[in-house]
Every structure is written in C-alpha cells, then in structure tokens.
Amino acid sequence: MNSPMDMAVLADQQCPAAKSRPVKSRLSPWLAPIMYAIGKWLVLPLYFSHIKIIGEENIPTEGPVVLAPTHQARWDSLLVGLLGQRAGRYLRFMVTADECLGVQGWFIRRLGGFPVHVRKPSVQSLRHGVQLLQENEMLVIYPEGNIFRDRINPLKPGLARIALRAEYSRHNLNVKIVPIVLKYSDICPKWRSSVTIHIGKPLSAANYRKGGSKEQSKRLTNDLQNCLQTLSSQD
C-alpha cells in the first residue's frame, strides 16, 4: 500500500494541472539567526549533558541536499538544526500540518518549515519540496514518516521520489541525500541525558537513473535504509 505522500506524488504525475492552494515557506532574516543561536548556545547545552557528532564532514556545505534523519524524539529537529548551522546553512523542514498550528506553527513557518497533511497531503506541498531542492536548499525529511523509538522502521519511498523528481527536473542538479542516525542515551531523552549523531556519506540521486521511476525509487530507498541500519549499529 502506498503512503499518503506517495499517493500525492502519483496524483501529481497523473494530473500535473491539478489545482490546489500554493504552499509557500520562508526564512525570517531576523528570527532564524536568533532562534538557531538560542538552540545552539542555550537550549541544547542546558538539556543535554553531551552531544557527540560523528561524520560532520559528510554534510555538503552547498548545493541541493536532503537530510534524512531517524525520528525518535521531538528533540530531533533541534539537533538536526544544529548540524545545519555547523555546515553554515539554514534548513527547510517538511512537517506535519498539526505541528504548524498556534504559536509553534508561527515559529515553524518563519524558520523555513512548511506543512504536509499526513492523511490527505497536498500535491502542492510535495511540489514545494521539489522546488526548494531546485533552489539549492537543504531540506529535512524524516524518511520513516513518524517517531519510532525502538528501531529503524521501514522507510517510506516518498523521500526518494521527491529527490529523484528534483534531480530529473534540471540537468546536473546533483541532489545529495544524507543519512543521519540520532542515538539517545535514554529511549525517551531525559534531562542531562546524552546523544550521539552519526552522519553517513551522502547518496547521489544522479546514480539512480537506470530503470523505471518505481525501480529507481525502490533502489534509492533500500540503499538509504541500509545506510541507516549500518550507522545505527555503530557505537
């Protein structure tokens, strides 16, 4: 069975002229630097006793990038944001529509996030993800689709399809997909717990040109799954 994201991508392929409300996102030029600094120098150091990053050199400092982290806690986005900042880049997050409500939603939208309705995703949301990659942005998509604390869940193919659609839309775009595993000392991160972030070598969407679109997406998804499993087994 296809996930909601995959169904929306398929609908976009079958009906490219489908009309829905355009999805937009932006980075506030004054809020983003402030919030990133607060997260880096105040929130994360106060909550965690130790943050260890392995493989930081694997994050590209330019070009279109999809960060593909495991999703175990609400802290994940702050920690992934730290990685972006250390690479000298701001991130664009694809988040569930429920997270874009109220005060939290106000901040998310001004920090480059944009919503996706999990049960009934908008084709325009997925098009916007492709557009951001075309603009050489760094996009964060959780490939498992939800929070899983005990293990790495089978990945949804939606991330691969978005990356491949962006890659094929422009010559030599060279989209990179970076596998990331976050390992907390406690299953549910507690006050003064520690976290290790393993960053794998990027996969290149340009290497998945053989075969039909479904086969390409399946190979990329499987390779990403294997990379995450390998990183997860490291100490």
Side-chain angles (χ1 to χ4, degrees):
M1 180 179 293
N2 289 332
S3 69
M5 179 179 288
D6 304 329
M7 293 172 64
V9 172
L10 181 60
D12 188 23
Q13 294 172 336
Q14 295 175 340
C15 188
K19 294 183 178 180
S20 58
R21 187 175 181 179
V23 171
K24 299 180 180 180
S25 66
R26 67 184 182 90
L27 276 167
S28 169
W30 64 269
L31 183 62
I34 293 174
M35 296 306 296
Y36 271 68
I38 290 175
K40 178 180 180 179
W41 299 111
L42 182 63
V43 178
L44 292 176
L46 283 178
Y47 194 85
F48 292 99
S49 62
H50 183 63
I51 300 174
K52 183 178 181 181
I53 302 175
I54 301 174
E56 185 176 350
E57 68 279 2
N58 292 323
I59 297 183
T61 56
E62 59 183 12
V65 178
V66 179
L67 298 185
T70 54
H71 203 8
Q72 298 182 6
R74 296 299 180 186
W75 288 99
D76 297 344
S77 294
L78 274 177
L79 290 164
V80 174
L82 174 64
L83 300 181
Q85 186 181 49
R86 291 171 68 122
R89 307 184 67 171
Y90 291 115
L91 307 183
R92 314 302 292 270
F93 285 84
M94 180 179 286
V95 301
T96 63
D98 291 342
E99 294 179 280
C100 287
L101 301 176
V103 175
Q104 175 180 276
W106 187 92
F107 279 98
I108 288 175
R109 290 178 181 275
R110 284 156 181 80
L111 293 175
F114 61 99
V116 173
H117 290 272
V118 176
R119 295 184 178 180
K120 191 176 180 181
S122 164
V123 170
Q124 292 292 347
S125 294
L126 307 181
R127 285 179 178 170
H128 187 58
V130 172
Q131 177 187 352
L132 291 174
L133 293 177
Q134 292 171 337
E135 295 172 354
N136 292 320
E137 296 283 0
M138 184 175 280
L139 176 63
V140 180
I141 302 177
Y142 292 103
E144 297 168 282
N146 210 331
I147 290 179
F148 296 94
R149 303 186 189 278
D150 56 342
R151 60 186 173 86
I152 296 178
N153 209 56
L155 308 187
K156 307 296 184 183
L159 181 152
R161 292 182 179 177
I162 290 174
L164 291 171
R165 281 174 61 82
E167 180 66 31
Y168 297 147
S169 69
R170 293 189 181 177
H171 182 63
N172 291 332
L173 187 60
N174 198 20
V175 176
K176 301 294 187 182
I177 302 97
V178 182
I180 300 172
V181 170
L182 298 99
K183 300 176 71 172
Y184 297 95
S185 57
D186 300 289
I187 295 180
C188 294
K190 300 176 182 178
W191 177 262
R192 306 313 293 164
S193 60
S194 62
V195 57
T196 300
I197 306 173
H198 293 272
I199 306 167
K201 293 184 178 180
L203 299 172
S204 177
N207 293 335
Y208 295 84
R209 293 184 177 275
K210 294 182 179 180
S213 59
K214 289 185 178 180
E215 180 183 348
Q216 295 166 353
S217 175
K218 183 177 180 180
R219 286 196 297 116
L220 177 51
T221 300
N222 288 341
D223 286 351
L224 179 58
Q225 179 94 42
N226 290 335
C227 288
L228 292 174
Q229 294 286 4
T230 299
L231 290 174
S232 180
S233 65
Q234 297 176 3
D235 294 329

